[in-house]
Amino acid sequence: MTQKNAELSGEFNSLKEDFENYKNAQIQKEEKQFNSRSAFIGNCIAFILLIVPYVFILVKLEFVKAKYAAQVTKGNIIYLTFAVIISLVVAFLYIQLKKIIVILVRKVMSKYK
């Protein structure tokens, strides 16, 4: 009888462990799907909201660079330097705003999860 109880207890523990592993795998799978879905939606929203101003500013800065790169003077070098710095700042802001939008979308989606 104790032999049978030990076997049943071992089987129970094995089944319990398998169930816990399955449950953890399902939770990780759902979390991975949620993260990829929210990242995709966040990136789409960020693209829609930010790409037009981003491209407009970069194109305008390229025109400024082309205009002042024709002649090398102190004033033109200053304009070119500011144009390069502004384009770097705009790129940095685009990346940061995109991250913020993805985080906000993830928060909103987690409320309705």
Side-chain angles (χ1 to χ4, degrees), residues 16-31:
K16 184 178 176 183
E17 185 178 311
D18 288 344
F19 178 72
E20 290 296 325
N21 289 339
Y22 174 76
K23 195 164 85 172
N24 289 337
Q26 290 299 321
I27 290 171
Q28 288 176 353
K29 181 180 174 184
E30 288 174 7
E31 188 175 317

Side-chain angles (χ1 to χ4, degrees), residues 6-63:
E7 288 177 17
L8 290 175
S9 177
E11 286 181 36
F12 175 75
N13 289 336
S14 174
L15 288 173
K16 184 178 176 183
E17 185 178 311
D18 288 344
F19 178 72
E20 290 296 325
N21 289 339
Y22 174 76
K23 195 164 85 172
N24 289 337
Q26 290 299 321
I27 290 171
Q28 288 176 353
K29 181 180 174 184
E30 288 174 7
E31 188 175 317
K32 185 177 179 181
Q33 287 176 343
F34 174 76
N35 287 338
S36 65
R37 196 174 301 131
S38 63
F40 176 75
I41 292 171
N43 284 328
C44 288
I45 291 172
F47 181 80
I48 291 168
L49 293 177
L50 299 176
I51 199 66
V52 172
Y54 177 70
V55 170
F56 177 76
I57 291 170
L58 288 183
V59 168
K60 186 69 174 169
L61 287 172
E62 288 301 318
F63 282 127

